Amino acid sequence: MESATQVGAAAQPSSASASVIPSAFDGTLGRHLARRLAETGVRDVFSVPGDFNLTLLDHLIAEPSLNLVGCCNELNAGYAADGYARAKGVGACVVTFTVGGLSVLNAIAGAYSENLPVICIVGGPNSNDYGTNRILHHTIGLPDFTQELRCFQAITCFQAVVNNLDDAHELIDTAISTALKESKPVYISISCNLPGIPHPTFARDPVPFFLAPKVSNQEGLEAAVEATAALLNNAVKPVIVGGPKLRVAKAQKAFLEFAEASGYPIAVMPSGKGLVPEHHPHFIGTYWGAVSSSFCGEIVESADAYVFVGPIFNDYSSVGYSLLIKKEKAIIVQPNRVTIGNGPSLGWVFMADFLTALAKKVKTNTAAVENYRRIYVPPGIPLRREKDEPLRVNVLFKHIQELLSGDTAVIAETGDSWFNCQKLHLPENCGYEFQMQYGSIGWSVGATLGYAQAATDKRVIACIGDGSFQVSKIIRIQTICVQNIKDNIHMFFFFIHCSPSMKFCPKWKLHHKPWLNGYNHTC
């Protein structure tokens, strides 16, 4: 995907920054942005105040439908916006110029890797400072205001630098709509003196967004369906494997339609966990090559046709590119392209359209499901923990499994939590989130805050290694505790420590605060 940059016209003279709270009669940039965020579904904006964004924050606070959540630093705000976008479909954060923008970069890069529409708003230099060769604070000491922009160009799908009110309306609307259409982060820099200045383009409430639906090329769709159906209907024991791009394609319902119609066993790639219904009677587990769920790898790799829906084959998900998958037997369904074996690859064929149409063409075939049921042996139950015995990881996760229901969601941190949470069986409607592609240590604590703010009907269970927690810093927990009390959010944290003897110890209750005592986590 190519990145697009739109920079406002040359700076126009304007008055000094004024902190003016907009009324219903003020057509200002700040109010327009606030209303646009609310229209997209954003209700919580994660922010770190700074002198370049204070006026803008006043206008966001003044919008009744927005709640400003203050974060301890910009990285935390970005992680929270990431978690929020996972539950709500879109997230937003507001930081200050350069010193804040460069701090939030890592979180935005993670959102880009996970195809999450995060709107990153930066309070920028006064519009009168552009072109003056002045050196500003919060920069690296050069009279060049583009350093931050250049960094964001690689990790956002659109960048808007708003330093002129004449084109501000267009730039803001284009940025937000592009984030929603592409399901990627965008960058919006707004000069610090512009949010409170009235302008004719903001004289009325913004017209609601209309995003034209993407429609498949009909001839390409028909050709893809016919070729795929012919391959699958001639197969003896085909299987379906769901991947992480099911989310960005918004194709989970169509995936289930195809699974129901075909009767094939359903596996999930490790990076797609949570996007495939594990309560379905044909679900056979996680396909992860040599470390797949018991008996799942055998069924997938012995199939004579496999439909991979939204896969990402990286070194993690392929166990070092060691998957025993043959290209000629694989149908690869991406969000806007279908590739059938060694044959045709058809573009502008959208995943949901394709799966819905394919469901009407395939013959029901339960041979692979029956094979799985013949060889399947239920997993053993962990032995009870003896008195004074250190807590074992399998006993811990047995209890976590018992906590899960349709009213819960699991957030799994990079590392041991990844691998152990993969073994959890998710009940119907149980959420599950992790960051397998980018794998940023410490992501989960901020993401838990954002996810919980968006999914107020869920009790969020976060599994975090104590090393990752140290990266996240305790002060972020303080932010979570404040929001927990304020918004009646329900969360469990499990801090998992790996000692030299590979014993694990959870910290069940935050108020014990064991991390304040030298990080001695030995049970």
Side-chain angles (χ1 to χ4, degrees), residues 439-519:
S440 184
I441 292 175
W443 158 84
S444 63
V445 184
T448 296
L449 168 61
Y451 191 96
Q453 284 290 122
T456 55
D457 58 330
K458 298 281 189 184
R459 180 174 59 169
V460 182
I461 300 171
C463 297
I464 305 161
D466 66 339
S468 296
F469 177 68
Q470 291 179 60
V471 172
S472 303
K473 300 198 183 294
I474 299 167
I475 194 167
R476 193 186 301 171
I477 292 291
Q478 294 172 347
T479 303
I480 290 175
C481 289
V482 169
Q483 292 302 128
N484 193 1
I485 295 168
K486 177 182 174 185
D487 298 325
N488 196 28
I489 297 170
H490 305 287
M491 284 180 268
F492 266 117
F493 281 87
F494 291 91
F495 301 114
I496 302 171
H497 170 68
C498 181
S499 72
S501 61
M502 295 301 290
K503 300 295 191 295
F504 290 79
C505 177
K507 300 304 172 188
W508 291 74
K509 295 183 180 179
L510 283 174
H511 65 256
H512 286 172
K513 299 180 182 175
W515 55 85
L516 297 179
N517 298 315
Y519 287 90

Side-chain angles (χ1 to χ4, degrees), residues 177-217:
S177 61
T178 302
L180 298 176
K181 287 188 291 186
E182 302 293 341
S183 197
K184 293 282 189 182
V186 293
Y187 164 83
I188 304 174
S189 173
I190 298 176
S191 288
C192 60
N193 60 315
L194 300 185
I197 302 173
H199 192 269
T201 55
F202 304 120
R204 55 164 293 164
D205 284 344
V207 175
F209 270 122
F210 173 75
L211 300 178
K214 294 180 179 179
V215 181
S216 296
N217 178 310

Side-chain angles (χ1 to χ4, degrees), residues 74 82 122-123 150 220 237 290 355 367 376 491:
E74 291 83 5
D82 172 308
V122 177
R150 295 197 305 272
K237 44 184 182 178
L355 294 175
Y376 176 74
M491 284 180 268

Side-chain angles (χ1 to χ4, degrees), residues 217-485:
N217 178 310
Q218 193 59 35
E219 291 185 10
L221 175 62
E222 292 173 0
V225 169
E226 291 298 328
T228 302
L231 190 155
L232 293 177
N233 288 337
N234 287 324
V236 176
K237 44 184 182 178
V239 300
I240 312 169
V241 184
K245 291 187 179 179
L246 274 165
R247 187 209 305 270
V248 66
K250 298 178 173 61
Q252 289 166 266
K253 181 179 178 182
F255 179 91
L256 188 56
E257 287 178 20
F258 171 55
E260 294 280 2
S262 66
Y264 304 164
I266 306 166
V268 63
M269 298 183 74
S271 50
K273 187 174 179 68
L275 301 175
V276 169
E278 298 187 12
H279 63 281
H280 194 281
H282 288 181
F283 181 75
I284 63 172
T286 299
Y287 176 61
W288 202 352
V291 292
S292 299
S293 302
S294 299
F295 312 107
C296 176
E298 292 87 339
I299 294 299
V300 172
E301 292 177 349
S302 66
D304 53 352
Y306 8 75
V307 185
F308 281 89
V309 183
I312 295 178
F313 295 109
N314 62 19
D315 52 344
Y316 275 172
S317 65
S318 66
V319 197
Y321 305 104
S322 65
L323 301 182
L324 301 179
I325 296 295
K326 295 181 179 178
K327 183 179 178 182
E328 62 269 19
K329 297 180 181 181
I331 296 132
I332 308 297
V333 186
Q334 295 293 8
N336 59 1
R337 177 171 292 273
V338 177
T339 302
I340 301 107
N342 289 322
S345 181
L346 299 154
W348 211 251
V349 174
F350 293 103
M351 185 186 291
D353 296 340
F354 173 76
L355 294 175
T356 297
L358 184 61
K360 300 172 183 175
K361 293 285 187 176
V362 293
K363 299 174 182 176
T364 302
N365 183 342
T366 60
V369 173
E370 292 163 7
N371 286 346
Y372 174 77
R373 289 171 179 166
R374 274 196 293 270
I375 65 173
Y376 176 74
V377 177
I381 299 173
L383 296 174
R384 289 183 62 86
R385 177 172 173 265
E386 299 295 332
K387 183 180 180 182
D388 299 326
E389 177 191 4
L391 182 60
R392 301 188 306 273
V393 67
N394 57 351
V395 173
L396 167 62
F397 276 87
K398 172 180 178 291
H399 291 295
I400 293 175
Q401 178 68 65
E402 292 169 356
L403 290 173
L404 301 186
S405 69
D407 298 324
T408 58
V410 176
I411 308 292
E413 177 60 82
T414 300
D416 286 342
S417 296
W418 266 4
F419 305 113
N420 290 302
C421 288
Q422 280 288 338
K423 301 174 186 177
L424 294 173
H425 184 76
L426 304 180
E428 184 174 4
N429 296 322
C430 180
Y432 185 91
E433 298 293 344
F434 72 135
Q435 196 190 53
M436 189 167 191
Q437 176 60 41
Y438 197 57
S440 184
I441 292 175
W443 158 84
S444 63
V445 184
T448 296
L449 168 61
Y451 191 96
Q453 284 290 122
T456 55
D457 58 330
K458 298 281 189 184
R459 180 174 59 169
V460 182
I461 300 171
C463 297
I464 305 161
D466 66 339
S468 296
F469 177 68
Q470 291 179 60
V471 172
S472 303
K473 300 198 183 294
I474 299 167
I475 194 167
R476 193 186 301 171
I477 292 291
Q478 294 172 347
T479 303
I480 290 175
C481 289
V482 169
Q483 292 302 128
N484 193 1
I485 295 168

Side-chain angles (χ1 to χ4, degrees), residues 13-28:
S14 60
S15 61
S17 175
S19 180
V20 179
I21 304 291
S23 71
F25 306 102
D26 287 331
T28 62

